[in-house]
Amino acid sequence: MILIILIPIILLVLSYAFWLDGYADPFYLHFASPKQSSLILGTSRSSLAICPFIFKKNGYEDVYNYSFTIAESPWGKDYYNSICRKLDTTKHNGLFIVSVDPFAVSSQKNDADEEVIPHTMLAEIDNVAQSPNWTYIGKYNVQPWKNILYKMKIQTPSFRLHEDGWYENLRVWNIETEKQETDLKIREYKRGFKNNVISHSRLLFLRKTISFLKQYGSVYIVRIPTSPAMYELENQQFSNFDSIIHVIANEYDVRYINCAPQSKEYRTFDGNHLIPEDAQKFTQNLCDSIKAIENNAK
């Protein structure tokens, strides 16, 4: 009798995990995909702006976008450890895009003038290449039934995490909403990051990440374009950011591809994240820049 009751419950729990996809949760597939030999790294800017399938079209195989958000993956110990777990260290010909921006290497200080570096969700996920990933499912409110609502057209998804790690914004873009959301985002960043300063700890782990990745392939540091308003805000608050990144790039003999001055050439949803069409355009331009660097090095 107990078995008769338990079997359907067990089957339901197991099927729960297999319903999970890129519509149900913004992070799950990152932890349910295999280890990867080539990685795109950073916050939500790179998560939405850099498309692995464009790299594949340009001859770069198996590039995976392992970016999260400014809350989960600013440069720091948690992200560094997660990257180390995700990387397939049996291969040594990888391509690594290390996305940087001032907010991702900044922190606030407490009354004792000490940096405040909070732990993130990544610290809680030890196995980042397990499917089903029960650790993640057990810790977070994953909702696979959303897929049913999407397929029945009851709800319209706003985002999709692709199998290659690209996080696609599915909302319809227009100039009016971009202006409204950009104004909101700028106010949000001015309020939320007004006391932030460039962080010694975050720069330390950015350096550690670059040093670690260089053992397994080519590393490119990339600054992604945003809206002109966001670019201006960053330059006002962190005027020495580019010079710091240039020093790090020279220190580790890697190239810094700074695309932020090109912000007027791309459209965003909110001043911070490129729309899908322009993400593909940006990724192609990034591939062209990398190819030019590779050709010059021959």
Side-chain angles (χ1 to χ4, degrees):
M1 181 67 179
I2 295 176
L3 278 178
I4 294 174
I5 297 172
L6 285 178
I7 288 174
I9 295 174
I10 292 170
L11 290 174
L12 181 62
V13 170
L14 289 174
S15 64
Y16 175 96
F18 292 102
W19 288 343
L20 295 175
D21 63 10
Y23 292 108
D25 184 87
F27 301 139
Y28 176 74
L29 292 184
H30 284 322
F31 307 120
S33 57
K35 290 192 174 188
Q36 305 291 332
S37 58
S38 294
L39 296 169
I40 297 162
L41 302 167
T43 63
S44 58
R45 285 191 189 176
S46 53
S47 181
L48 276 78
I50 306 181
C51 311
F53 70 91
I54 299 293
F55 273 93
K56 188 171 184 178
K57 289 180 180 179
N58 283 268
Y60 300 99
E61 295 291 331
D62 302 322
V63 179
Y64 185 84
N65 195 325
Y66 195 60
S67 305
F68 292 86
T69 69
I70 190 64
E72 307 300 344
S73 57
W75 294 103
K77 182 179 179 180
D78 295 346
Y79 196 25
Y80 172 77
N81 288 336
S82 190
I83 291 166
C84 292
R85 296 184 187 112
K86 191 66 177 181
L87 184 65
D88 181 354
T89 56
T90 65
K91 299 176 182 178
H92 291 77
N93 60 344
L95 174 67
F96 304 105
I97 307 300
V98 176
S99 168
V100 295
D101 67 74
F103 303 112
V105 294
S106 70
S107 66
Q108 296 185 4
K109 291 189 175 183
N110 60 23
D111 293 337
D113 201 36
E114 300 168 329
E115 291 186 15
V116 179
I117 308 291
H119 285 295
T120 73
M121 172 266 290
L122 297 178
E124 302 179 8
I125 311 297
D126 292 329
N127 193 327
V128 298
Q130 181 184 67
S131 183
N133 194 311
W134 295 110
T135 301
Y136 183 87
I137 292 171
K139 286 179 178 289
Y140 298 96
N141 182 29
V142 184
Q143 301 175 351
W145 48 85
K146 283 184 178 180
N147 298 338
I148 298 174
L149 300 178
Y150 297 150
K151 289 175 181 178
M152 294 177 66
K153 309 298 182 183
I154 296 174
Q155 286 187 15
T156 302
S158 297
F159 296 92
R160 176 189 176 189
L161 181 62
H162 289 257
E163 295 288 338
D164 60 12
W166 178 42
Y167 195 48
E168 182 183 7
N169 191 330
L170 301 174
R171 295 177 298 164
V172 176
W173 177 89
N174 63 63
I175 294 175
E176 289 76 18
T177 57
E178 180 190 21
K179 185 180 184 310
Q180 292 170 2
E181 294 195 29
T182 296
D183 290 344
L184 288 172
K185 185 65 69 175
I186 295 297
R187 288 200 296 271
E188 174 190 331
Y189 269 59
K190 282 183 176 179
R191 182 175 60 253
F193 293 93
K194 66 179 179 179
N195 296 320
N196 278 45
V197 295
I198 296 296
S199 162
H200 172 78
S201 174
R202 295 206 183 284
L203 289 178
L204 171 65
F205 278 98
L206 175 61
R207 285 181 163 97
K208 285 172 67 82
T209 302
I210 293 168
S211 178
F212 171 69
L213 295 175
K214 277 199 70 179
Q215 302 173 76
Y216 303 100
S218 301
V219 177
Y220 295 89
I221 305 175
V222 176
R223 187 175 179 185
I224 296 169
T226 59
S227 67
M230 182 64 75
Y231 182 47
E232 181 182 357
L233 172 63
E234 292 178 351
N235 288 340
Q236 287 174 349
Q237 187 167 348
F238 306 97
S239 58
N240 62 338
F241 173 75
D242 279 327
S243 61
I244 291 171
I245 299 302
H246 276 296
V247 168
I248 293 174
N250 291 334
E251 187 178 332
Y252 290 94
D253 192 26
V254 299
R255 294 297 294 269
Y256 176 34
I257 304 174
N258 181 10
C259 301
Q262 304 163 16
S263 291
K264 291 182 180 179
E265 299 176 19
Y266 298 94
R267 295 168 294 173
T268 69
F269 275 99
D270 56 2
N272 198 35
H273 304 103
L274 299 185
I275 67 171
E277 294 84 355
D278 286 28
Q280 294 175 50
K281 171 185 169 183
F282 168 69
T283 306
Q284 181 58 58
N285 290 340
L286 180 58
C287 287
D288 293 341
S289 296
I290 291 172
K291 284 183 176 181
I293 293 170
E294 291 174 340
N295 291 333
N296 290 333
K298 291 179 180 178

